[in-house]
């Protein structure tokens, strides 16, 4: 396992504590507005925001509440309902997830855990984090027999589809909930193709039209209401569209025309937005598996994002 040491030292990948990790970050949204920015969204903001770069260049703490494969509207509602939250919020828009109707199971679990956690849960989580930071673990999702068997890629029986299994070497998540693409994944195009195959299974190349009609209007109204509540308390909200390329870069604009979805979202909420296609430093970035940036490009993206936010007067003068 010597070549895989980076995975072993990141025990927070274990799914049994991810709700607790999200709750830890959720409790940090109340920091001073000149020292804290909260991020919600899907996996793209989890990957693309390089937190060390953000801290170095802004002096602020980034509070990462993004969630892979999840619609951020439930997290937005949770913050809007919280009268104590009066801070700065950046909302990442991945149209296929942001405009997805219906309940959101994965984000729902995290919000529910935050709301219902008992004192025993909170103490247990803190003790667990403290112990795990001092110990070494072999991650069962990376190094168990079952994890290695998943690499066999056994074909499904006709008419059946099993669980979607992402490559073990795709990414890992750290204590601050930054998802990081591994060096092996960046170098190996065959592993990258495994992930683009998964996106294709999810309909990345279908070009099917996104939600519309009354359902879409209802989503706009709900987001408008939630954003207005945060603004009314003195909070600030801005939307960002993180990079995509390849299959997603081609077909997302077909399924979700910018004027009908992203631009209209800015219009109904009265918020500013930063779309990667409008910023040359962002527009030239390429996602190796169509949807997320490599670690070096995350630094480029984050620096460009900070520059655009400065133009929008996001930071206090000292920033």
């Amino acid at each position: 396992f010597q070549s895989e040491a980076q995975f072993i030292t990141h025990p927070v990948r274990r799914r049994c504590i991810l709700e607790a990790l999200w709750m830890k970050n959720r409790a940090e949204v109340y920091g001073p507005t000149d020292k804290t920015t909260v991020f919600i969204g899907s996996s793209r903001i989890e990957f693309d925001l390089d937190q060390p770069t953000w801290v170095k260049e802004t002096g602020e703490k980034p509070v990462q509440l993004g969630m892979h494969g999840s619609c951020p509207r439930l997290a937005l509602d949770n913050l809007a309902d919280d009268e104590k939250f009066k801070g700065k919020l950046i909302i990442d828009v991945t149209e296929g997830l942001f405009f997805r109707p219906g309940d959101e199971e994965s984000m729902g679990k995290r919000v529910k855990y935050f709301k219902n956690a008992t004192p025993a849960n909170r103490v247990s989580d803190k003790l667990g984090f403290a112990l795990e930071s001092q110990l070494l673990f072999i991650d069962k999702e990376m190094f168990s027999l079952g994890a290695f068997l998943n690499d066999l890629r056994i074909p499904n029986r006709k008419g059946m589809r099993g669980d979607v299994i992402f490559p073990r070497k795709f990414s890992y998540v750290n204590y601050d909930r930054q998802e990081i693409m591994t060096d092996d994944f960046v170098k190996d195009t065959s592993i990258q193709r495994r992930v683009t195959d998964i996106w294709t299974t999810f309909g990345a190349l279908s070009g099917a039209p996104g939600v519309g009609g009354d359902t879409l209007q209802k989503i706009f109204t709900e987001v408008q209401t939630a954003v207005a509540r945060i603004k009314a308390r003195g909070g600030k909200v801005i939307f960002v569209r993180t990079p995509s390329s390849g299959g997603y870069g081609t077909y997302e604009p077909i399924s979700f025309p910018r004027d009908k979805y992203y631009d209209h979202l800015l219009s109904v909420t009265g918020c500013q937005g930063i779309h990667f296609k409008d910023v040359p430093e962002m527009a030239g970035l390429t996602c190796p598996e169509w949807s997320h940036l490599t670690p070096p490009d995350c630094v480029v993206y984050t620096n460009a994002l900070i520059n655009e936010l400065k133009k929008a007067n996001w930071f206090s003068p000292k920033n």
Side-chain angles (χ1 to χ4, degrees), residues 39-315:
F39 293 82
I40 62 174
S42 307
S43 61
R44 289 178 185 172
I45 198 63
E46 278 190 283
F47 275 84
D48 297 356
L49 179 73
D50 185 69
Q51 296 191 34
T53 300
W54 179 274
V55 172
K56 176 183 176 182
E57 298 298 329
T58 71
E60 284 193 355
K61 177 177 179 56
V63 179
Q64 181 59 264
L65 297 179
M67 177 63 203
H68 52 271
S70 174
C71 171
R73 298 200 316 271
L74 189 56
L76 173 61
D77 290 341
N78 177 253
L79 292 169
D81 290 340
D82 187 346
E83 294 295 331
K84 295 187 296 181
F85 176 68
K86 305 174 183 179
K88 297 185 297 186
L89 176 65
I90 292 180
I91 306 175
D92 176 46
V93 178
T94 296
E95 293 88 352
L97 295 171
F98 188 93
F99 294 102
R100 184 167 65 187
D103 295 330
E104 185 55 59
E105 180 182 2
S106 55
M107 181 58 71
K109 289 180 179 178
R110 282 144 182 81
V111 172
K112 183 178 180 181
Y113 190 83
F114 172 74
K115 290 181 177 179
N116 300 330
T118 66
N121 290 143
R122 297 177 188 277
V123 170
S124 176
D125 293 340
K126 289 182 178 180
L127 288 174
F129 291 144
L131 287 171
E132 290 180 355
S133 67
Q134 303 301 314
L135 300 172
L136 231 114
F137 295 85
I138 296 229
D139 189 336
K140 69 178 183 181
E141 293 195 9
M142 295 298 297
F143 299 112
S144 68
L145 176 60
F148 282 100
L149 287 175
N150 286 334
D151 280 348
L152 294 178
R153 303 182 68 185
I154 299 172
N156 295 316
R157 298 193 304 275
K158 184 177 180 180
M160 304 293 293
R161 193 179 84 176
D163 292 338
V164 175
I165 305 296
F166 283 87
R168 291 183 302 113
K169 296 181 180 181
F170 182 18
S171 66
Y172 61 90
V173 63
N174 65 20
Y175 184 67
D176 293 316
R177 299 193 71 256
Q178 178 174 336
E179 196 85 24
I180 301 169
M181 197 174 287
T182 73
D183 292 340
D184 286 338
F185 185 82
V186 173
K187 297 173 183 176
D188 194 330
T189 56
S190 66
I191 308 178
Q192 294 169 17
R193 283 195 298 271
R194 286 182 57 186
V195 176
T196 58
D197 286 346
I198 292 173
W199 300 151
T200 301
T201 300
F202 288 168
L205 305 181
S206 71
V211 63
D214 292 342
T215 302
L216 179 59
Q217 185 56 49
K218 183 174 182 288
I219 291 172
F220 281 130
T221 300
E222 290 173 350
V223 174
Q224 178 188 33
T225 301
V227 168
R229 293 179 65 188
I230 293 173
K231 286 183 173 182
R233 298 196 294 263
K236 297 171 67 174
V237 179
I238 197 166
F239 289 89
V240 299
R241 175 52 160 86
T242 38
S244 59
S245 58
Y248 273 133
T250 299
Y251 287 94
E252 281 176 331
I254 296 173
S255 297
F256 300 94
R258 178 171 171 176
D259 60 341
K260 182 179 178 181
Y261 291 89
Y262 180 82
D263 289 347
H264 190 61
L265 180 65
L266 303 185
S267 177
V268 299
T269 58
C271 292
Q272 293 177 284
I274 301 172
H275 197 293
F276 80 98
K277 289 187 176 180
D278 298 334
V279 183
E281 297 86 347
M282 298 180 181
L285 297 173
T286 299
C287 305
E289 39 63 80
W290 305 351
S291 193
H292 308 93
L293 297 175
T294 65
D297 282 348
C298 289
V299 174
V300 175
Y301 173 80
T302 302
N303 276 315
L305 176 62
I306 291 168
N307 289 336
E308 295 302 309
L309 289 168
K310 287 179 177 177
K311 297 177 186 177
N313 299 314
W314 187 257
F315 303 106

Side-chain angles (χ1 to χ4, degrees), residues 5-37:
Q6 58 178 321
F7 298 108
I8 305 176
T9 56
H10 290 276
V12 294
R13 273 189 66 94
R14 293 183 298 145
R15 302 305 178 196
C16 59
I17 66 168
L18 289 187
E19 284 83 2
L21 198 58
W22 191 90
M23 182 176 71
K24 174 192 74 70
N25 280 21
R26 175 60 177 81
E28 296 173 348
V29 305
Y30 310 111
T33 56
D34 63 336
K35 296 181 180 179
T36 310
T37 292

